[in-house]
Amino acid sequence: MLTLENLSFEVPAEKGQKEIIRDLNLTIDDHKFVVITGPNGGGKSTLARLIAGIERPTSGRIYYNGEDITEKSITERANMGISYAFQQPVRFKGIQVLDLIRLAAKKKLSAADACQYLSEVGLCARDYINREVNASLSGGELKRIEIATVLARGTRMSVFDEPEAGIDLWSFQNLIQVFERMRERTEGSILIISHQERILNIADEIVVIADGTITKQGPKDEILPGLLGTASAVDACDRLYQGGNGR
């Protein structure tokens, strides 16, 4: 279980400090698939970075399974079972996909075991296992390889920051299938920052953040109809919560 208590985050601005997250409270229970959405600039990605330990809150506390992790580093949190997937996955010139999956698993997996994780994310293992994690891979391929490393780590809390960013429609459709399988099989919790209706539609719970604070929260069937109309999720969110000024 992840609990955020009175969490705030500020950055320097021309006139004093700019508040990005404002006294936010949120609990994510075990075995839940939660999607955080809202207008651009509302604070969603900042919140994901605070959970991962990339940023430190100005005030408030973060608890994971009852332990205060507010001051713990991203590495310490990763060792506790929290994974974070970037909007734009990092490329590692000179490192093969097999090496990356072994690093994630923290053990010397056989090639066959590593290939199983690639198969889980819909990649033909023999075509990728010995590829370098470099510019020769597309955005969609990198996203799925990154998810394969999350699976290899076997973490209890997986955080994905706008996984749909920078990928084509075909890759996005495959990504949805991967998340659907993760939702069915995971023993932990999944937290995704996203505007996309298809991702919102497979959530257990939806949290809407605007102007650095939670404006709506609840089961998908209660929240989603209010976000969607004839427009896309992101357009609907921007229409309903116009004027958010977080990051």
Side-chain angles (χ1 to χ4, degrees), residues 183-234:
R183 183 182 184 277
E184 292 171 358
R185 301 176 187 179
T186 187
E187 295 183 1
S189 300
I190 300 170
L191 175 63
I192 299 182
I193 309 297
S194 180
H195 291 299
Q196 292 295 326
E197 179 181 351
R198 289 190 62 187
I199 293 179
L200 290 164
N201 203 45
I202 59 176
D204 296 316
E205 297 180 6
I206 294 174
V207 178
V208 181
I209 292 181
D211 199 20
T213 192
I214 294 173
T215 59
K216 291 182 181 292
Q217 179 182 358
K220 173 197 68 179
D221 292 341
E222 292 181 9
I223 303 299
L224 188 57
L227 297 178
L228 302 176
T230 56
S232 66
V234 63

Side-chain angles (χ1 to χ4, degrees), residues 62-156:
I62 302 174
Y63 298 92
Y64 182 60
N65 293 333
E67 181 175 350
D68 189 340
I69 63 169
T70 310
E71 303 302 325
K72 291 189 180 296
S73 68
I74 186 171
T75 300
E76 290 172 316
R77 297 185 199 198
N79 289 334
M80 294 177 70
I82 300 175
S83 289
Y84 177 80
F86 293 86
Q87 283 188 32
Q88 300 297 329
V90 181
R91 300 176 189 267
F92 300 92
K93 186 176 180 180
I95 296 181
Q96 293 182 331
V97 172
L98 175 59
D99 299 325
L100 194 62
I101 294 175
R102 283 174 170 170
L103 285 170
K106 294 187 177 180
K107 57 185 177 182
K108 192 170 177 61
L109 294 174
S110 68
D113 288 337
C115 284
Q116 181 61 40
Y117 292 114
L118 292 175
S119 297
E120 286 285 325
V121 297
L123 294 176
C124 180
R126 68 174 180 272
D127 294 337
Y128 289 92
I129 196 69
N130 294 317
R131 293 270 299 273
E132 280 194 17
V133 189
N134 58 22
S136 70
L137 294 168
S138 71
E141 289 169 332
L142 281 169
K143 289 285 176 73
R144 286 193 277 169
I145 289 169
E146 185 176 46
I147 294 173
T149 65
V150 171
L151 295 175
R153 290 196 60 229
T155 52
R156 301 286 300 180

Side-chain angles (χ1 to χ4, degrees), residues 2 4 7 26 28 36 44-55 57 62 64 69 72-74 77 82-84 157 159 191 193:
L2 181 75
L4 313 179
L7 207 65
L26 176 65
I28 297 174
I36 295 179
K44 304 181 302 297
S45 291
T46 297
L47 183 62
R49 293 196 295 270
L50 287 167
I51 292 170
I54 298 170
E55 303 282 6
I62 302 174
Y64 182 60
I69 63 169
K72 291 189 180 296
S73 68
I74 186 171
R77 297 185 199 198
I82 300 175
S83 289
Y84 177 80
M157 167 67 68
V159 181
L191 175 63
I193 309 297

